[in-house]
Amino acid sequence: MIGSTFATPTPTDTPVVQSPLLTLDGLGVSLPSVDGPFDVLADVDLTVGRGEIIGIAGESGSGKSMTGRALLNLLPDGASTRGTIEFDGTTLSSLDRKGWQKLRGGEIAMVFQDPTAALHPMLTVGSQLTEHMRVHLGLSKSAAKARAVELLDQVRIPDPKNALKNYPHQFSGGMRQRIAIAIALAAEPKLVIADEPTTALDVTVQAGILQLFHRLSSEMDLSVMFITHDLGVLAALAERTYVFYAGRVLETAPTEELLRNPRHPYTSALLKARPETSDVDGVRSELTPIKGQPVTASTAPEGCPFAPRCDDAQDACTGLVPALVRVPIIEDLDMPSTRHLAACVVHSPAGAVSKES
């Protein structure tokens, strides 16, 4: 499986996101219900650098996809947000309707998990590709068609000129996902949100999609937010990873370091629950499922949201919510890392806890 063994991280490297393209500061999202608003995201801090690929991992319901949708203001009716989203120098809460229309597909694009549902079955691939370019880039019909051929060739669709005339059902699942990626790239966005784009694909096709994202990011200086439930997928792609649970970030670090030296029990549990997992020496380890059921930001207990499922839980875990703080690097336990953060009482000094529950 992709990412079953992990390369050795370099502890002295301290990646600093210079002038980040995207910054989330205390992002929270609440949805309406018959019993009143309930939280699905709570106090999320996150950055994406220019040309950087970051990963967001966690179980279903952890808030991964909701984070991506909040960036595009594609939330359900009645949803409310708090905190700040800054994108390329603009505070997104200040946008009006026209501003959001320009942003969606133009500045930020999204690739959804199911390309069959994302692509219109009654429209040719060519019409779906050229529409975005004519709206966002103002291209003529002929110029948009020529650009569409280039895009299909860029994502490795065979015979791209004739492919424009075909409908989505005439392609395999992997090819449909490549077409969806081409559509996302059509208006030359600065950021692509990839929401579990490899989930329904076999391992060979999955590897091709990951290689495609890596190449496009390098060639186009494209930033990518790659959402997945599989940490192993991120080993082959993401420079940094954020681990979500109950609408919160419980751990974040450069991906190689996080996979080798997870500092939050939830991250460790996710790695142990992966099928076909190997340790750093290539020895297969036993799959250990995470006990209990995931919770949401609203149904989480007081204190650490993972405490009821954690084998290492202490009395202190049921108090206040641990803050996301710097943790020591493995090679020098007395030296706090500037790049590895975890929200666990083991690492939180006195007072380094959040009063928000």
Side-chain angles (χ1 to χ4, degrees):
M1 172 165 293
I2 295 172
S4 59
T5 58
F6 312 126
T8 303
T10 306
T12 56
D13 291 342
T14 305
V16 177
V17 179
Q18 302 288 352
S19 182
L21 177 67
L22 174 71
T23 301
L24 308 185
D25 185 4
L27 176 64
V29 174
S30 298
L31 300 181
S33 74
V34 293
D35 298 320
F38 68 95
D39 289 343
V40 290
L41 286 180
D43 200 27
V44 172
D45 294 339
L46 179 151
T47 60
V48 182
R50 298 175 189 276
E52 183 185 29
I53 301 177
I54 70 150
I56 296 180
E59 294 171 282
S60 297
S62 61
K64 308 185 304 296
S65 296
M66 193 61 66
T67 300
R69 291 178 180 274
L71 299 184
L72 292 171
N73 198 26
L74 294 177
L75 298 172
D77 291 340
S80 61
T81 62
R82 57 190 180 277
T84 304
I85 304 175
E86 294 274 350
F87 177 77
D88 200 21
T90 299
T91 302
L92 297 193
S93 60
S94 67
L95 296 180
D96 56 15
R97 182 181 176 184
K98 288 186 177 180
W100 281 112
Q101 288 176 340
K102 180 181 179 181
L103 181 85
R104 297 190 195 107
E107 301 289 324
I108 304 177
M110 194 161 188
V111 178
F112 294 93
Q113 178 175 340
D114 183 2
T116 302
L119 299 174
H120 198 299
M122 303 300 291
L123 298 177
T124 64
V125 168
S127 63
Q128 295 184 65
L129 263 171
T130 56
E131 177 185 15
H132 289 284
M133 291 181 280
R134 299 191 70 182
V135 170
H136 289 286
L137 301 180
L139 299 183
S140 66
K141 185 175 181 179
S142 59
K145 183 177 179 180
R147 171 66 176 150
V149 172
E150 292 176 0
L151 282 169
L152 290 184
D153 181 63
Q154 198 169 18
V155 298
R156 303 294 192 262
I157 297 295
D159 193 6
K161 188 172 182 179
N162 284 323
L164 292 178
K165 306 172 186 176
N166 294 335
Y167 293 85
H169 73 271
Q170 295 175 274
F171 298 88
S172 67
M175 289 295 106
R176 282 196 293 268
Q177 193 59 281
R178 288 173 179 267
I179 292 168
I181 294 170
I183 292 174
L185 298 175
E188 302 175 359
K190 298 175 182 176
L191 172 67
V192 168
I193 303 166
D195 189 2
E196 304 216 35
T198 62
T199 297
L201 306 176
D202 63 47
V203 175
T204 302
V205 178
Q206 180 185 91
I209 295 296
L210 296 180
Q211 291 170 0
L212 175 62
F213 272 110
H214 190 276
R215 179 172 59 81
L216 292 174
S217 176
S218 176
E219 293 177 354
M220 303 171 62
D221 198 30
L222 177 71
S223 299
V224 179
M225 179 185 290
F226 198 95
I227 299 170
T228 181
H229 63 276
D230 186 353
L231 280 166
V233 167
L234 299 178
L237 184 69
E239 299 168 44
R240 295 184 296 119
T241 292
Y242 292 82
V243 178
F244 274 56
Y245 185 75
R248 295 181 180 275
V249 177
L250 295 192
E251 185 168 9
T252 180
T255 304
E256 288 184 352
E257 180 177 331
L258 183 137
L259 296 177
R260 265 191 174 271
N261 301 315
R263 308 308 301 277
H264 196 285
Y266 178 58
T267 308
S268 298
L270 283 177
L271 289 170
K272 292 176 182 177
R274 289 183 61 237
E276 301 182 32
T277 300
S278 306
D279 65 18
V280 293
D281 297 317
V283 178
R284 189 179 300 276
S285 59
E286 182 179 354
L287 184 152
T288 305
I290 306 176
K291 66 182 182 182
Q293 297 295 321
V295 296
T296 66
S298 283
T299 61
E302 292 186 6
C304 175
F306 187 61
R309 307 173 70 191
C310 181
D311 292 331
D312 301 319
Q314 309 170 11
D315 290 342
C317 299
T318 59
L320 299 177
V321 179
L324 198 63
V325 297
R326 295 176 180 177
V327 298
I329 58 177
I330 282 294
E331 290 76 7
D332 186 349
L333 296 181
D334 295 325
M335 179 180 177
S337 170
T338 58
R339 59 194 180 129
H340 199 151
L341 292 83
C344 180
V345 295
V346 172
H347 308 296
S348 296
V353 290
S354 169
K355 295 184 179 180
E356 182 183 346
S357 59

